[in-house]
Amino acid sequence: MKIQRFEDIEGWQLGRELTRQIYEITGKGTFAKDFGLKDQIQRASGSIMHNIAEGFDGGSNKEFIRFLKYSQRSCSEVQSQLYVALDQEYISQERFQQLYDLSTRVHSKIGGFI
């Protein structure tokens, strides 16, 4: 499949799904009241998508790769923040693992795309 739009990139699609799920968990219960962590993890997950989109129009492969690497770093940031959510008992161990695994998959897809 030829990539004509950033939406065609599988890493972006998976990043979008991760972002959707992050917004879902941060909108409920005590997580919703932790404004600092809620904002930080939402921004980090959104950055995965946004950096791919921004880099797509960067004008060169070198520039695009730089933004793809930023996107990978945002995956790692989400993973670190998931530990805080787990430790604060905002999410269950099972939910933590699901989201951690999805963020790992996103990171890998972006790496494969690079």
Side-chain angles (χ1 to χ4, degrees):
M1 176 174 129
K2 184 176 179 187
I3 295 173
Q4 297 180 339
R5 309 172 315 144
F6 67 83
E7 295 95 331
D8 296 332
I9 299 168
E10 191 173 358
W12 183 89
Q13 295 167 3
L14 289 170
R16 180 181 179 198
E17 176 58 24
L18 177 61
T19 301
R20 186 194 67 73
Q21 290 187 36
I22 291 295
Y23 271 78
E24 181 183 308
I25 65 162
T26 58
K28 299 176 184 174
T30 53
F31 206 149
K33 296 174 184 166
D34 187 334
F35 301 112
L37 181 60
K38 174 183 174 180
D39 182 62
Q40 196 170 11
I41 197 169
Q42 286 178 346
R43 286 176 181 265
S45 66
S47 287
I48 297 166
M49 301 167 52
H50 308 324
N51 279 309
I52 293 171
E54 187 175 352
F56 186 79
D57 287 330
S60 71
N61 284 341
K62 183 178 179 181
E63 184 76 358
F64 190 20
I65 289 169
R66 185 167 65 92
F67 278 89
L68 291 170
K69 289 181 179 181
Y70 292 154
S71 186
Q72 284 184 306
R73 291 177 190 154
S74 294
C75 289
S76 298
E77 186 178 349
V78 167
Q79 289 175 328
S80 182
Q81 292 160 355
L82 285 170
Y83 277 103
V84 176
L86 177 66
D87 292 346
Q88 295 303 308
E89 299 180 352
Y90 297 157
I91 57 175
S92 68
Q93 178 66 45
E94 180 181 356
R95 191 69 173 125
F96 165 86
Q97 198 60 57
Q98 291 169 345
L99 292 167
Y100 192 94
D101 291 347
L102 179 55
S103 60
T104 299
R105 187 169 168 221
V106 174
H107 190 284
S108 295
K109 281 291 180 188
I110 295 166
F113 187 66
I114 291 172

